[in-house]
Each structure stands twice: as structure tokens, then as C-alpha cells.
């Protein structure tokens, strides 16, 4: 089969489907309408699928595991709580909800890959599962799909995922070996002191002074606690405490995040944060109450799988359009759970307009994607899946 020709034939349908998703986006955990539309399209094309996680997720499959191994393609389907400001004719019809992270593109490309792989089924040496995953934006739909068994029966060997990037022109793609996205932990710290008159600080325990020392002290966690060649972020983004200028504050509460690029550094950040909080509170005779909320783990690509998929990409879109990134990002991505469970590859699909001076970033109310990237996305997902079925 001439894959490129078939993708070109399918492109108007896939673009229309993407625009439909864009007009009717669903927030994380509320993806039932998107999944119902996907189910209809999969069913119409004779593709087997099952709905999961209360109808917010779908897992399709083509081919037969009896013929070889099984690999998976993953698309996230959720949108963001934002009111769109693009003015596009197919802009979101749901006020306060927008596909500002391009997950509509991911979903349309994965559907295209599923339809084409179904047409290629007699030639497939193995099985390809296609995951339509909910709730990437915050609550970790990937982890729940894995817990629900999407990587088992039959056993999935590798997972391949992509994310659009408006800083890269449509038609191009970027790969990163090893560490790609950071791990994230959120925290709330409550510093308990003892309130009293502001003129007599010796009678109380000043939680505001404690907070000041704590915020200064945590700057040393990244700068002194980890290697200058590793990366970490410790941020306090919100702080509240005290009631009046002439009252010593008895309580300060702050929230923040910590980012790291390995499990080892992640554990170190957690430990040092707790030690610093307890140490500073102890100095003042107060008490620290630390609540840690672990978020996504670090996304680490498998080098062998990435090599295979990047080689397939070079063959599909030309070596001049394949970028190898050298720096990871401190942003997070819940594909990390797939990459932790199986040797996997996550890569970036350029969606920027090469003729525009400004391409608005992801999560902007003015984010737009050059839809020509759908063609590249379908091509790379199919070529990548076929390469993984025969290699590694
Ligand atoms: Zn996002
Ligand atoms: Zn995203």
C-alpha cells in the first residue's frame, strides 16, 4: 500500500474531525462525548475497540498478536479550562474550554493511524493498540489506563506518543534521547508559630519570620544539594499568613512545586524540603506541617526505541526535518507512566506556521496549529509503529 497517498486521501476527513473536536472540547475527566465520537469513527471503519474508565478512555486494536509482538500508539484527548481567543471559524463553542494544548491534533492523528493500519491489517506482523487517553492535564489518565490493564493481554512491548510543538514548523519532528520531561511534586507547608502583640515578639513565635528563613533556605536545595550538571526547581508560588501589621503571625501557609529529571533527584528534593522545614521551624520553636502531593514522574525515553523511531521518521519525512534535541524540559507529561512501564518513545511534532512571525505557545488562548502537521503525525505514528513491530 502507498501509505503517503492514502494519508493524503484521508486528510480532509481527519482535518474535519480535528475541527469538530476543537469546536466541542472536553475537560479532563469529562471526555465521554469525545470518546463517543471516536467510538463511532472506529466502529465505522471496522476497528475493534473498548471503552475504559467510565467511557472517558478508549483502546482500539488492529492486527493480531499471534503474528508477532504488540506495540501501542497513545493520544491524549482532553482540553483546558480556557476561553479561546483565536477567532477561528472552528473555534471552541464551549465557553471556558479550549483545545489549547493541541490534544485534538493528537487524537485526529491517532485516529488516522488506526484507520490506515486497519487497511494494512493483512500485512501487519503483530498488533497495534491505539490508546485514546483522558486527563493528561493534571490528574494522570495514563496511570489509570495502565492500572486498568491497557498494556496487558496482549502484552504491549513499546508505546509511542507525540506532542505538538508550535515552536517547530509543521512538517518537522523533534526527538530526545533519555530524559525528556521532569517529575513534579506539589507541596503545601504550614508553619505553626504562636501569635502575640507585634511590640512583644519574645512572647510569641513568629511564623512570618520562619517563612522568610524557610524561603531563603530552600534556594540552597537546588544550588548546593544537587550536582550543577543535574537540574531541579523548587518554587514557592503562593504564601498567606498573618492578620495585621501589629500582630505576630501564628500561622503561615505556602504552596509550591518541585521539578526534577530523575527519581533519585526527586527523592532528594523531597527529603531536603522536609529537613529544611523541620530545621527552620525548630530554630524558632515552632512546628512545620508538610503535605506532599506527588504528581507525574520524569519522562525518560528508551534510547534503543528512540533510535528506531527517529530512523523511521528520517525515512518518512527526510533527515532534514528530524531534529535531535539535546536539552530536556522542566515541564511535565503523563506519558511518563507509559515510558516507565515499557521501553518507549515520546517525541514532538512541529505544528508551527513557518510563515508567521508569532506562533502562540501551548496553553495560550490564542494557540493555533498549522493543520498540515496532522499529515506528518499520522505518517510518523504509522512508520514508527511498523518499525517497532519489526525491530527492538
Ligand atoms: Zn498541556
Ligand atoms: Zn498537552
Amino acid at each position: 500500500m502507498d501509505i503517503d497517498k492514502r494519508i493524503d486521501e484521508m486528510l480532509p476527513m481527519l482535518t474535519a474531525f480535528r475541527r469538530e473536536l476543537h469546536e466541542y472540547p472536553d475537560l479532563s475527566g469529562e471526555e465521554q462525548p469525545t470518546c463517543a465520537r471516536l467510538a463511532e469513527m472506529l466502529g465505522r471503519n471496522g476497528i475493534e475497540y473498548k471503552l475504559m474508565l467510565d467511557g472517558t478512555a478508549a483502546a482500539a486494536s488492529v492486527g493480531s498478536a499471534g503474528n508477532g509482538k504488540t506495540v501501542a500508539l497513545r493520544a491524549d484527548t482532553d482540553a483546558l479550562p480556557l476561553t479561546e481567543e483565536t477567532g477561528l471559524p472552528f473555534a471552541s463553542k464551549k465557553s471556558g474550554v479550549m483545545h489549547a494544548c493541541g490534544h485534538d491534533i493528537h487524537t485526529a492523528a491517532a485516529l488516522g493511524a488506526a484507520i490506515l493500519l486497519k487497511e494494512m491489517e493483512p500485512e501487519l506482523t503483530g498488533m497495534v493498540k491505539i490508546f485514546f487517553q483522558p486527563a493528561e492535564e493534571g490528574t494522570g489518565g495514563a496511570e489509570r489506563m495502565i492500572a486498568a490493564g491497557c498494556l496487558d493481554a496482549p502484552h504491549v512491548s513499546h508505546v509511542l506518543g507525540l506532542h505538538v510543538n508550535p515552536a517547530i514548523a509543521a512538517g518537522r519532528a523533534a526527538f530526545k534521547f533519555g530524559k525528556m520531561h521532569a517529575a513534579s511534586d506539589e507541596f503545601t507547608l504550614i508553619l505553626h508559630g504562636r501569635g502575640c502583640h507585634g511590640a512583644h515578639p519574645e512572647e510569641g513565635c513568629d511564623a512570618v519570620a520562619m517563612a522568610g528563613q524557610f524561603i531563603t533556605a530552600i534556594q540552597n536545595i537546588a544550588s548546593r544539594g544537587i550536582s550543577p550538571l543535574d537540574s531541579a526547581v523548587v518554587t514557592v508560588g503562593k504564601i498567606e499568613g498573618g492578620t495585621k501589621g501589629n500582630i505576630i503571625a501564628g500561622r503561615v501557609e505556602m504552596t509550591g512545586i518541585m521539578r526534577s529529571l530523575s527519581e533519585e533527584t526527586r527523592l532528594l528534593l523531597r527529603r531536603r524540603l522536609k529537613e529544611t522545614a523541620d530545621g527552620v521551624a525548630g530554630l524558632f520553636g515552632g512546628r512545620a506541617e508538610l503535605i506532599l502531593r506527588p504528581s507525574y514522574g520524569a519522562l525518560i525515553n528508551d534510547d534503543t526505541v528512540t533510535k528506531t523511531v527517529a530512523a523511521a521518521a528520517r525515512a518518512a519525512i527526510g533527515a532534514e526535518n528530524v531534529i535531535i534535541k539535546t536539552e530536556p524540559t522542566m515541564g511535565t507529561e503523563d506519558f511518563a507512566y507509559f515510558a516507565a512501564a515499557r521501553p518507549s518513545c515520546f517525541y514532538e511534532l512541529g505544528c508551527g506556521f513557518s510563515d508567521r512571525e508569532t506562533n502562540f505557545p501551548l496553553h495560550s488562548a490564542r494557540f493555533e496549529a498549522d493543520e498540515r502537521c496532522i499529515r506528518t503525525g499520522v505518517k510518523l505514528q504509522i512508520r514508527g509503529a511498523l518499525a517497532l513491530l519489526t525491530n527492538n
Side-chain angles (χ1 to χ4, degrees):
M1 181 194 292
D2 186 337
I3 295 176
D4 290 358
K5 184 164 164 276
R6 275 299 291 136
I7 295 175
D8 286 342
E9 286 165 0
M10 277 196 325
L11 212 50
M13 181 277 287
L14 292 176
T15 305
F17 183 73
R18 179 261 162 164
R19 292 182 177 195
E20 190 187 320
L21 294 180
H22 197 86
E23 280 186 289
Y24 299 98
D26 295 322
L27 286 173
S28 308
E30 300 172 8
E31 298 89 344
Q32 286 92 348
T34 294
C35 275
R37 266 304 274 139
L38 279 167
E40 191 191 324
M41 296 296 279
L42 293 167
R44 193 187 296 171
N45 286 281
I47 299 167
E48 269 182 51
Y49 68 92
K50 61 177 180 185
L51 294 177
M52 302 170 73
L53 308 179
D54 299 324
T56 61
S61 61
V62 296
S64 163
N67 288 342
K69 60 183 180 180
T70 299
V71 300
L73 302 177
R74 173 273 207 171
D76 42 7
T77 60
D78 55 330
L80 286 160
L82 263 183
T83 298
E84 182 160 353
E85 295 171 10
T86 61
L88 286 167
F90 56 89
S92 172
K93 288 195 161 55
K94 282 171 130 177
S95 173
V97 190
M98 176 190 175
H99 267 299
C101 204
H103 298 184
D104 50 343
I105 299 269
H106 309 168
T107 305
L111 176 69
I115 294 172
L116 224 140
L117 286 164
K118 182 69 186 175
E119 292 177 10
M120 296 168 68
E121 202 164 42
E123 315 154 33
L124 277 188
T125 55
M127 176 183 272
V128 181
K129 292 186 187 179
I130 302 98
F131 301 148
F132 296 96
Q133 180 218 299
E136 194 286 323
E137 300 284 358
T139 59
E143 194 179 23
R144 294 203 293 280
M145 278 192 86
I146 294 169
C150 73
L151 291 179
D152 309 316
H155 178 91
V156 171
S157 304
H158 311 292
V159 188
L160 189 54
L162 60 80
H163 204 296
V164 291
N165 182 351
I168 299 171
R172 309 188 79 193
F175 291 82
K176 169 79 179 68
F177 288 89
K179 297 172 182 180
M180 184 166 180
H181 281 266
S184 180
D185 288 322
E186 296 170 10
F187 65 87
T188 296
L189 173 68
I190 304 165
L191 292 168
H192 297 278
R194 202 168 56 254
C196 66
H197 196 294
H200 308 289
E202 76 282 7
E203 291 173 4
C205 173
D206 190 347
V208 166
M210 241 189 280
Q213 292 288 346
F214 172 78
I215 290 165
T216 305
I218 57 170
Q219 307 310 316
N220 293 309
I221 297 179
S223 74
R224 304 289 89 162
I226 70 161
S227 161
L229 301 177
D230 195 0
S231 299
V233 179
V234 182
T235 295
V236 172
K238 188 182 172 194
I239 177 162
E240 275 179 317
T243 50
K244 199 167 184 287
N246 64 355
I247 299 174
I248 294 289
R251 184 183 195 276
V252 169
E253 179 170 335
M254 60 185 90
T255 52
I257 54 158
M258 298 190 290
R259 296 277 165 99
S260 51
L261 288 169
S262 70
E263 201 55 28
E264 195 188 348
T265 305
R266 187 184 200 185
L267 295 175
L268 182 128
L269 294 183
R270 287 179 185 173
R271 198 180 73 236
R272 294 298 291 270
L273 188 79
K274 170 108 178 76
E275 286 168 356
T276 307
D278 288 340
V280 169
L283 271 177
F284 282 77
R287 183 170 62 84
E289 183 185 344
L290 182 66
I291 302 147
L292 199 73
R293 289 182 299 280
S295 183
Y296 303 160
L299 194 170
I300 301 169
N301 279 325
D302 181 84
D303 286 349
T304 310
V305 170
T306 303
K307 197 174 163 202
T308 301
V309 179
R314 283 190 198 96
I317 61 173
E320 69 282 10
N321 290 315
V322 175
I323 301 158
I324 301 295
K325 294 181 81 161
T326 52
E327 303 295 331
T329 159
M330 298 313 281
T332 60
E333 162 61 55
D334 87 341
F335 187 86
Y337 292 102
F338 290 117
R342 301 287 189 271
S344 295
C345 175
F346 190 70
Y347 63 95
E348 293 179 352
L349 179 72
C351 74
F353 294 87
S354 51
D355 55 351
R356 286 191 191 175
E357 220 160 87
T358 306
N359 279 287
F360 288 96
L362 298 173
H363 290 216
S364 158
R366 295 176 70 186
F367 165 73
E368 286 182 48
D370 183 338
E371 289 175 320
R372 283 176 290 187
C373 71
I374 298 172
R375 181 174 182 268
T376 315
V378 177
K379 199 184 276 195
L380 294 187
Q381 288 295 74
I382 291 175
R383 297 283 187 185
L386 295 177
L388 289 174
L389 282 179
T390 48
N391 288 296
N392 295 111

Coordinates of all heavy atoms in Angstrom, one line a residue, residues 195-199 206 208 242-250:
G195 N 0.9 33.4 68.0 CA 0.6 34.8 67.8 C 0.7 35.6 69.1 O 0.6 35.1 70.2
C196 N 1.1 36.9 69.0 CA 1.1 37.8 70.2 C 1.1 39.2 69.7 O 1.1 39.5 68.5 CB 2.3 37.5 71.1 SG 3.9 37.9 70.3
H197 N 1.3 40.2 70.6 CA 1.4 41.6 70.2 C 2.7 41.9 69.4 O 3.7 41.4 69.8 CB 1.3 42.5 71.4 CG 1.0 43.9 71.1 ND1 1.9 44.7 70.4 CD2 0.0 44.7 71.4 CE1 1.4 45.9 70.2 NE2 0.2 45.9 70.9
G198 N 2.6 42.6 68.3 CA 3.7 42.9 67.5 C 4.9 43.6 68.2 O 6.0 43.6 67.8
A199 N 4.5 44.3 69.3 CA 5.6 45.0 70.1 C 6.3 44.1 71.0 O 7.3 44.5 71.6 CB 4.9 46.2 70.8
D206 N 7.2 33.7 65.8 CA 6.8 34.4 64.6 C 6.8 33.5 63.3 O 7.9 33.2 62.8 CB 7.8 35.6 64.4 CG 7.3 36.6 63.3 OD1 6.4 36.2 62.5 OD2 7.9 37.7 63.2
V208 N 5.8 34.4 60.3 CA 6.3 35.1 59.1 C 7.8 35.1 59.0 O 8.4 34.9 58.0 CB 5.7 36.6 59.1 CG1 6.4 37.4 58.1 CG2 4.2 36.5 58.8
G242 N -0.6 35.6 58.7 CA -0.8 36.8 59.5 C -2.1 37.5 59.3 O -2.9 37.2 58.4
T243 N -2.4 38.5 60.2 CA -3.7 39.2 60.1 C -3.6 40.7 60.1 O -4.3 41.4 59.5 CB -4.6 38.8 61.3 OG1 -3.8 38.9 62.5 CG2 -5.1 37.3 61.2
K244 N -2.5 41.2 60.7 CA -2.4 42.7 60.9 C -0.9 43.0 61.2 O -0.2 42.2 61.7 CB -3.3 43.1 62.1 CG -3.7 44.6 62.1 CD -4.8 44.8 63.1 CE -5.2 46.3 63.1 NZ -4.3 47.2 63.7
G245 N -0.6 44.3 60.8 CA 0.8 44.7 61.0 C 1.4 44.7 62.4 O 2.6 44.5 62.6
N246 N 0.5 44.8 63.4 CA 1.0 44.9 64.7 C 0.7 43.6 65.5 O 0.7 43.6 66.7 CB 0.4 46.1 65.5 CG -1.1 46.0 65.6 OD1 -1.7 45.1 65.1 ND2 -1.7 47.0 66.3
I247 N 0.5 42.5 64.8 CA 0.3 41.2 65.4 C 1.4 40.2 64.9 O 1.5 40.1 63.7 CB -1.1 40.7 65.1 CG1 -2.2 41.6 65.7 CG2 -1.3 39.3 65.7 CD1 -3.6 41.2 65.3
I248 N 2.0 39.6 65.8 CA 3.0 38.5 65.4 C 2.1 37.3 64.8 O 1.2 36.9 65.5 CB 3.8 38.0 66.6 CG1 4.8 39.1 67.0 CG2 4.6 36.7 66.2 CD1 5.9 39.5 66.1
A249 N 2.4 36.9 63.6 CA 1.6 35.9 63.0 C 1.9 34.5 63.6 O 3.0 34.1 63.8 CB 1.9 35.8 61.5
G250 N 0.8 33.8 63.9 CA 0.9 32.5 64.4 C 0.9 31.4 63.4 O 1.1 30.2 63.7

